[in-house]
Amino acid sequence: VEAIGIDETSRKGHNYITVVADLVEHDVINVTAGKDSSTVKRFVDDFTAHNGVPGYVRLVTCDMSLGFRKGIRECLPNAERIVDKFHVVKHANEAVDKVRKAEGRSNGLLKRTKYLWLRNESGLGELQLETKRALMKQRLKTGRACQMRETLQDIYETSRTSGEAWVRLHRLCSWMMHSRLEPMKDLARMIRRHWNEILAYFTHPYTNAVLEGVNSVIQNVKRRARGFRNMDYFATMIYLTCGKLDLKAVTAYPPPHNPPQTANSLFF
């Protein structure tokens, strides 16, 4: 295993589990409770116990969690960390929505327009697209924030090299910092704090898409069982549904040889 993805999901209420997946084979290889740096340590211990070599892991995709960052640095020293692009875009969406909410308090045009700004134009209906383009002509702050978010997505989709992405991302951060839109400035600061890990994607284009798919399966498993009180049972069900286990390879040992019992032998 050379490339892994790490992500957390809720188990029950505010209880979390961390799921580790092999990004090449697309299967779950570890499930552990919590979402702090100790989860990486427990993964490495379990990985080693199953003949894995932590030193061979060279790429790890995850979100911007400081806990994961610390755990990877301490337990997987040979691994390069890649901030998952979907988490970066998610933060951009949240920043755009903050701008919309603030501007919407004084501008009725933005009422019930949340998803016009957060969805890509390819996902909008004809009427929705016309409405969005009409609003864009109003020189709204939300319109500018949306353009910044779309620029970020375009950088991810069309940048051919890490150097090209570096230049375009630098320009975008400068634009956001001079925008006078505080949520977008916060987004630029966040990108700059994780600069190298975000740019790593353009050299090694791995994402946690497989974990997003796994998470939907996990939530379905949890709903079917009406929740799990026992962490071991929950982990077992995740391995069975998402681990791509080859159950045919399990060796069934034959029972010890005993002479067949008859009805009479039970009494004598």
Side-chain angles (χ1 to χ4, degrees):
V1 177
E2 297 183 353
I4 62 173
I6 302 178
D7 199 10
E8 81 276 355
T9 186
S10 63
R11 179 169 74 92
K12 184 179 180 182
H14 295 289
N15 295 324
Y16 289 87
I17 61 169
T18 293
V19 180
V20 182
D22 182 340
L23 296 181
V24 177
E25 298 296 331
H26 293 184
D27 56 353
V28 170
I29 58 176
N30 184 258
V31 180
T32 187
K35 61 173 185 175
D36 56 12
S37 61
S38 65
T39 59
V40 182
K41 173 67 166 60
R42 289 196 293 274
F43 155 68
V44 169
D45 290 343
D46 181 71
F47 187 57
T48 303
H50 288 84
N51 299 322
V53 183
Y56 289 171
V57 178
R58 59 187 183 87
L59 298 170
V60 181
T61 61
C62 61
D63 59 19
M64 301 179 201
S65 163
L66 294 178
F68 287 158
R69 186 178 193 177
K70 178 183 177 183
I72 293 166
R73 184 176 63 250
E74 294 177 351
C75 303
L76 296 169
N78 296 334
E80 182 176 1
R81 197 170 70 99
I82 304 169
V83 170
D84 181 42
K85 75 171 185 177
F86 295 111
H87 283 88
V88 180
V89 174
K90 178 184 175 183
H91 282 286
N93 282 334
E94 291 172 353
V96 171
D97 200 46
K98 288 179 182 178
V99 174
R100 180 195 63 82
K101 288 179 179 178
E103 190 176 19
R105 296 189 188 103
S106 58
N107 192 331
L109 291 174
L110 292 169
K111 190 175 182 180
R112 293 194 294 271
T113 64
K114 176 179 179 179
Y115 295 105
L116 292 182
W117 309 109
L118 301 185
R119 289 177 180 164
N120 295 326
E121 292 194 353
S122 59
L124 298 176
E126 186 175 344
L127 182 59
Q128 291 175 316
L129 194 55
E130 289 179 4
T131 303
K132 179 180 178 180
R133 289 174 178 173
L135 289 171
M136 292 293 285
K137 295 177 181 178
Q138 300 293 322
R139 298 182 180 275
L140 299 169
K141 294 178 181 179
T142 307
R144 283 194 290 133
C146 182
Q147 286 179 319
M148 295 172 192
R149 191 264 297 170
E150 290 173 346
T151 299
L152 175 64
Q153 288 184 294
D154 189 59
I155 291 171
Y156 271 115
E157 292 171 5
T158 62
S159 294
R160 292 167 293 181
T161 65
S162 178
E164 180 184 349
W166 191 100
V167 172
R168 297 176 67 187
L169 205 56
H170 179 74
R171 289 174 181 166
L172 174 60
C173 287
S174 179
W175 180 18
M176 290 191 289
M177 289 302 295
H178 291 87
S179 67
R180 298 184 181 179
L181 302 174
E182 204 57 43
M184 306 313 293
K185 291 167 70 174
D186 289 341
L187 176 63
R189 295 185 188 104
M190 184 199 69
I191 291 174
R192 287 175 173 175
R193 285 197 303 271
H194 301 274
W195 187 260
N196 291 333
E197 292 90 349
I198 290 174
L199 281 176
Y201 167 80
F202 299 95
T203 304
H204 309 287
Y206 283 98
T207 73
N208 272 0
V210 58
L211 281 166
E212 296 301 324
V214 163
N215 186 44
S216 65
V217 175
I218 290 173
Q219 296 305 318
N220 187 41
V221 167
K222 186 171 69 172
R223 283 192 298 271
R224 289 207 313 261
R226 304 296 190 271
F228 287 89
R229 294 182 181 179
N230 186 297
M231 175 60 201
D232 291 337
Y233 293 162
F234 192 24
T236 298
M237 287 304 300
I238 294 172
Y239 288 129
L240 286 171
T241 54
C242 306
K244 294 186 180 179
L245 302 178
D246 184 6
L247 299 180
K248 294 179 181 178
V250 177
T251 301
Y253 291 95
H257 177 70
N258 290 315
Q261 292 182 330
T262 65
N264 290 334
S265 69
L266 295 175
F267 293 97
F268 297 99

